[in-house]
Amino acid sequence: MADTLALFTSIGLSEQKAKETLKNEALSASLKDAIVQAQRVCGASGVDKARGTLLYSMASRLKDTKRLTFLSDSIAQGKISTELQLAAALDFIKSHPQDPINQKQYEEACGVGVVVTPEQIEEAVEAVVKKHKEQLVKERYHFNMGLLMGEARSALKWADGKVIKNEVDLQVLQLLGKKTEADLEKKYIVLSFFLCNTGENYKTEGYVVTPKTMELLKKHLEITGGQIRTRFPPEPNGILHIGHAKAINFNFGYAKANNGICFLRYDDTNPEKEEEKYFTAIKDMVEWLGYKPYAVTHASDNFQQLYDLAVDLIRRGHAYVCHQKGEELKGHNAPPSPWRDRPIEESLVLFERMKKGLFSEGEATLRMKMVMEDGKMDPVAYRIKYTAHHRSGDEWCIYPTYDYTHCLCDSIENITHSLCTKEFQARRSSYFWLCNALDVYCPVQWEYGRLNLTYTVVSKRKIIKLVETGVVRDWDDPRLFTLTALRRRGFPPEAINNFCARVGVTVSQTTTEPHLLESCVRDVLNDSAPRAMAKHFTHYKLLPESDVRVPDFPANESKGSHVVPFTRTIFIEQSDFRETMEKGYKRLTPEQPVGLRHAGYVISVQKVIKVRLQGKVVELEVTCSSSETTEKPKAFIHWVSQPLVCEVRLYERLFLHKNPEDTSEVPNGFLSDINPHSLQTISGALVDISVKGAKALDKFQFERVGYFSLDPDSTADKLVFNRTVTLKEDPGKI
């Protein structure tokens, strides 16, 4: 062990890194063999840190260890001297698994002996900058500089990436000058992984190459023409939530960014839990977010083909009919099936009997002969369910599972990139195994981190519990983070898409606080929600009468306006008047006048009228003067006259703790963590008459109060508004 540790540190690994490597037996053995082989070629002193880094990288990434000696020699001889060349070498041997390796083709593919001069880099970057000059000047530093890097790298494949980047930065600076404040403003785009090109699935880590792989990929490319194909595959047994919005944006957005197509495919293989309302709601939400599926498909479209493939899987010896009970199959330590090695013909007969309804539910399943990445043995492919299917009726009494259906539907639809969240990583090997076991086209599965929000739950089971216990009204209760709830609360779809773009796509799980989403909502509504004036409390004043034209967007009056009456009696916020003057208070007092927004008047208090017994101020008599002839007041307040009486619902977080599902934070469970103040209803709010003709989900900014959306509960006699988000607080204004 000590000798191996010394060997690893001799190539430049730190002692800690070397010790970590020793814990991985497979990597440790490969690296040791690689170093010994390299030392045979160039001597012990010839394996310097640069070569050592490449040897370590090669040993940790190489799957086919029979090529280890060949690649070690290339590194030791200096033929492979950069990470870029090593990546090309690994790709080459993966795509050329058969012996012998054509040395000339290999060296050409890896850029062996190619020298790129600084002059060549300068010329290539200059050509790329010139090509995009017009757009660069227009967008300045918001331009996607990665495009310049990518095109320069394509022209000079073996150039040092750092040198190219430095040259790009230099030439862009010469063209645009230093960054301005406008250049520093953030613009957000949907981020994505660097995914493999279509037809190059075999270059993906973990992808299994079979003798038929290249033939199947060639046929796939003939069908797709090299077009990117993705899919969004929800189960129609619940309402989509904010996490699904990220999946929708990634699947549809990645396809759109690459001129590809995206399918909306319902994974409808569990008839017990599926309802038509979920199918409709899912499609509505996808389209609400601004995406149009290339086609709407169903896993059930392929029931016959999936059944035929299952029969083929049995014939190939990769599946069997099992009679273990469901309880026995739970967990990762289930006992081996005593029926695993039953004769193929027997399983074929039994599977046909399953299809004909000759077994009871739970009496038989079809299982696949494979071990999943999490160690689970022989996942179930088909189970018996005597439940009518919403599309196929009673035609089938056996239904395929997710583990069986998902990859095969991807294959049938010629999906190029099967994008899914990290919890499906344990199924990647089974995904590849099943396609290869049946000799069908195998797409690539890519996992990314799911999106989680604090102060909420998105589990279908837990939302149902919230509904059943009366904590929330339904799936679209505005305190939830289902997409229907967010729409009802008034969140614009653009804001949700912008939020997904800000969060980005990474392989790590993302937990985000709601205020980032709310910030995106404010950004959109600030430009799109017309202004109105609303009050929660009332006071009265005696004033002249007229009509006042109020801009819908005070910051941009060209976007329209509306007229509101200004009568002798108006209403203001209770908080906008104080009977006793206090330091720093800028609004109305008996000693201090105040301006009325948009009206052009300044008012001064003449008389304070109170309820006799309670002493509560209920009315003010004021005098009114033109703001043009009066000293400018310290503040302007909003008001309403002849208002509509509306109901306003104010929402706060549904849960008191960040992680209501975490028993260390909430020992008694999420239902014990409900915020008792998550909903406040104001039944007598006063809103100016400009909102009278609003339709459900129309959005407004109630000045100095927040952004509000008209709830579908509204009637002709009574409007109901949901507070979408509060306004950004500006400490400079009172």
Side-chain angles (χ1 to χ4, degrees):
M1 182 71 77
D3 291 343
T4 306
L5 181 66
L7 183 67
F8 288 175
T9 56
S10 73
I11 65 167
L13 293 186
S14 66
E15 186 171 340
Q16 181 182 355
K17 185 71 172 178
K19 288 179 178 178
E20 288 177 2
T21 303
L22 285 169
K23 295 176 184 177
N24 186 328
E25 292 184 11
L27 173 58
S28 182
S30 293
L31 181 58
K32 182 178 179 181
D33 290 345
I35 297 171
V36 170
Q37 179 61 28
Q39 288 179 342
R40 289 197 188 105
V41 175
C42 58
S45 60
V47 184
D48 55 14
K49 185 173 182 179
R51 284 189 171 92
T53 300
L54 289 171
L55 288 170
Y56 182 88
S57 181
M58 180 269 293
S60 61
R61 294 158 64 187
L62 183 65
K63 302 300 180 185
D64 185 2
T65 54
K66 73 178 182 181
R67 301 298 187 196
L68 187 138
T69 298
F70 177 81
L71 288 177
S72 299
D73 288 350
S74 292
I75 293 169
Q77 293 162 4
K79 292 181 177 180
I80 301 298
S81 57
T82 67
E83 280 289 339
L84 190 63
Q85 287 182 306
L86 177 59
L90 290 167
D91 282 346
F92 185 89
I93 64 171
K94 187 180 289 186
S95 58
H96 295 76
Q98 307 300 323
D99 286 326
I101 287 179
N102 185 309
Q103 190 72 28
K104 183 179 178 181
Q105 289 181 359
Y106 167 76
E107 293 187 1
E108 285 178 357
C110 300
V112 175
V114 176
V115 177
V116 181
T117 66
E119 291 76 18
Q120 287 175 305
I121 293 175
E122 183 180 351
E123 289 173 6
V125 172
E126 188 176 337
V128 172
V129 170
K130 184 177 180 181
K131 175 183 174 183
H132 296 283
K133 182 177 179 180
E134 183 178 344
Q135 201 67 19
L136 265 168
V137 171
K138 180 180 177 182
E139 298 183 19
R140 290 183 59 78
Y141 288 95
H142 291 308
F143 182 84
N144 180 10
M145 300 300 172
L147 182 62
L148 305 182
M149 282 287 297
E151 291 190 12
R153 288 294 293 266
S154 297
L156 299 170
K157 184 176 180 181
W158 304 112
D160 188 321
K162 290 182 181 178
V163 178
I164 290 180
K165 185 179 187 307
N166 290 339
E167 185 63 32
V168 167
D169 290 344
L170 177 63
Q171 292 197 27
V172 168
L173 180 63
Q174 290 172 345
L175 175 65
L176 304 180
K178 292 183 178 180
K179 291 182 178 180
T180 65
E181 286 188 16
D183 293 327
L184 295 172
E185 288 181 4
K186 292 184 178 180
K187 286 194 176 182
Y188 299 92
I189 58 172
V190 178
L191 303 177
S192 63
F193 299 115
F194 173 73
L195 306 180
C196 69
N197 295 322
T198 55
E200 295 184 349
N201 306 34
Y202 57 85
K203 292 185 178 181
T204 307
E205 184 176 351
Y207 193 87
V208 180
V209 178
T210 72
K212 284 202 170 186
T213 294
M214 296 306 173
E215 177 189 339
L216 291 167
L217 286 175
K218 182 180 178 182
K219 184 179 178 183
H220 160 74
L221 285 172
E222 289 173 356
I223 294 170
T224 64
Q227 183 183 46
I228 295 287
R229 290 188 171 200
T230 61
R231 81 289 169 274
F232 174 58
E235 297 176 69
N237 60 3
I239 298 296
L240 301 183
H241 55 70
I242 188 66
H244 290 113
K246 178 178 178 179
I248 291 168
N249 270 273
F250 191 20
N251 278 284
F252 282 91
Y254 183 73
K256 185 177 181 180
N258 291 279
N259 297 315
I261 59 176
C262 183
F263 294 79
L264 169 58
R265 184 207 305 146
Y266 295 111
D267 183 17
D268 57 340
T269 58
N270 191 353
E272 292 175 327
K273 297 183 179 181
E274 294 156 4
E275 295 182 42
E276 185 59 37
K277 68 178 182 180
Y278 297 135
F279 287 84
T280 304
I282 287 169
K283 186 170 183 288
D284 284 349
M285 288 300 98
V286 169
E287 293 177 347
W288 178 64
L289 289 176
Y291 295 106
K292 183 173 177 57
Y294 170 75
V296 177
T297 61
H298 303 73
S300 57
D301 296 338
N302 306 306
F303 274 174
Q304 184 60 52
Q305 189 172 354
L306 292 170
Y307 173 79
D308 294 340
L309 287 169
V311 171
D312 189 24
L313 195 67
I314 298 170
R315 287 200 177 105
R316 292 167 180 256
H318 297 310
Y320 62 96
V321 172
C322 176
H323 303 288
Q324 284 180 294
K325 301 300 180 186
E327 315 82 73
E328 298 178 73
L329 300 179
K330 289 181 179 178
H332 292 82
N333 297 308
S337 172
W339 293 278
R340 195 173 200 270
D341 297 320
R342 78 187 324 160
I344 289 173
E345 289 303 321
E346 187 176 315
S347 281
L348 286 171
V349 171
L350 292 171
F351 189 49
E352 177 69 15
R353 293 183 66 194
M354 285 173 61
K355 177 177 178 287
K356 290 180 176 179
L358 301 179
F359 288 105
S360 302
E361 285 192 18
E363 193 177 351
T365 59
L366 183 70
R367 297 176 65 183
M368 299 176 280
K369 292 183 180 179
M370 57 91 61
V371 182
M372 300 180 75
E373 286 184 36
D374 59 3
K376 194 170 183 178
M377 286 280 295
D378 296 358
V380 172
Y382 269 86
R383 72 277 203 218
I384 300 168
K385 286 183 181 291
Y386 290 108
T387 304
H389 191 272
H390 73 288
R391 298 184 74 235
S392 59
D394 295 325
E395 182 181 353
W396 296 89
C397 63
I398 56 171
Y399 293 98
T401 61
Y402 174 90
D403 288 320
Y404 177 79
T405 307
H406 187 64
C407 62
L408 294 181
C409 284
D410 280 352
S411 178
I412 291 166
E413 291 178 355
N414 274 286
I415 299 301
T416 57
H417 298 78
S418 179
L419 309 174
C420 55
T421 48
K422 284 284 284 184
E423 61 262 35
F424 294 100
Q425 186 168 0
R427 291 176 157 111
R428 188 200 285 189
S429 60
S430 66
Y431 185 106
F432 292 158
W433 175 86
L434 183 54
C435 290
N436 290 326
L438 288 166
D439 283 329
V440 297
Y441 160 69
C442 184
V444 175
Q445 176 173 305
W446 296 86
E447 303 90 11
Y448 60 92
R450 67 182 296 170
L451 171 61
N452 299 304
L453 276 185
T454 54
Y455 296 103
T456 191
V457 297
V458 294
S459 154
K460 297 183 183 91
R461 181 176 58 82
K462 290 178 179 174
I463 291 177
I464 289 171
K465 201 73 175 174
L466 290 170
V467 174
E468 289 176 344
T469 55
V471 173
V472 298
R473 293 172 60 185
D474 208 335
W475 290 80
D476 65 348
D477 188 296
R479 289 167 291 178
L480 297 173
F481 280 84
T482 61
L483 294 184
T484 52
L486 296 179
R487 179 173 64 174
R488 183 169 187 170
R489 185 163 170 172
F491 282 35
E494 306 94 313
I496 294 173
N497 293 341
N498 292 345
F499 169 68
C500 293
R502 288 193 187 189
V503 171
V505 179
T506 65
V507 294
S508 59
Q509 300 286 49
T510 305
T511 300
T512 305
E513 298 213 13
H515 67 75
L516 177 58
L517 173 57
E518 292 170 357
S519 174
C520 294
V521 171
R522 290 189 187 96
D523 288 345
V524 173
L525 291 180
N526 186 52
D527 293 330
S528 62
R531 278 36 171 186
M533 293 188 284
K535 316 286 144 303
H536 294 172
F537 302 96
T538 63
H539 297 283
Y540 306 84
K541 310 173 184 65
L542 300 178
L543 299 163
E545 297 189 357
S546 64
D547 285 339
V548 174
R549 184 165 291 278
V550 178
D552 292 336
F553 298 89
N556 185 359
E557 295 189 13
S558 64
K559 293 177 71 174
S561 62
H562 59 276
V563 174
V564 295
F566 185 80
T567 64
R568 293 179 61 81
T569 300
I570 67 171
F571 301 82
I572 68 169
E573 285 280 1
Q574 187 176 30
S575 60
D576 282 343
F577 172 75
R578 288 186 187 174
E579 197 171 1
T580 304
M581 183 68 180
E582 296 177 13
K583 185 179 179 181
Y585 187 73
K586 296 181 181 179
R587 284 166 277 173
L588 187 63
T589 71
E591 297 83 27
Q592 180 170 273
V594 73
L596 299 178
R597 277 181 64 79
H598 310 302
Y601 293 117
V602 176
I603 57 174
S604 301
V605 176
Q606 299 300 304
K607 183 178 180 181
V608 178
I609 302 171
K610 303 179 182 180
V611 176
R612 184 171 298 176
L613 295 178
Q614 298 174 346
K616 181 180 178 182
V617 177
V618 294
E619 187 175 331
L620 303 171
E621 289 184 6
V622 301
T623 58
C624 178
S625 56
S626 171
S627 58
E628 294 179 0
T629 59
T630 308
E631 183 181 349
K632 184 179 179 180
K634 291 183 179 180
F636 286 82
I637 63 173
H638 61 303
W639 52 274
V640 292
S641 180
Q642 295 181 351
L644 299 175
V645 180
C646 303
E647 179 179 307
V648 170
R649 298 169 182 171
L650 305 178
Y651 298 100
E652 300 292 345
R653 290 170 177 159
L654 182 58
F655 295 98
L656 297 170
H657 291 81
K658 275 189 174 184
N659 303 296
E661 297 171 279
D662 186 343
T663 53
S664 64
E665 280 190 45
V666 187
N668 295 323
F670 72 101
L671 287 176
S672 69
D673 195 45
I674 303 301
N675 176 9
H677 307 296
S678 62
L679 171 61
Q680 179 188 357
T681 301
I682 299 170
S683 57
L686 306 178
V687 185
D688 79 45
I689 61 172
S690 66
V691 304
K692 188 173 183 179
K695 302 185 294 294
L697 305 182
D698 280 354
K699 299 162 184 60
F700 300 90
Q701 184 195 110
F702 292 170
E703 293 197 38
R704 293 176 53 220
V705 179
Y707 293 100
F708 291 77
S709 178
L710 191 67
D711 191 86
D713 285 348
S714 298
T715 65
D717 298 324
K718 185 178 182 182
L719 299 184
V720 178
F721 287 94
N722 295 318
R723 184 172 68 188
T724 305
V725 287
T726 58
L727 295 176
K728 287 183 178 178
E729 293 296 330
D730 184 349
K733 294 182 180 178
I734 296 181

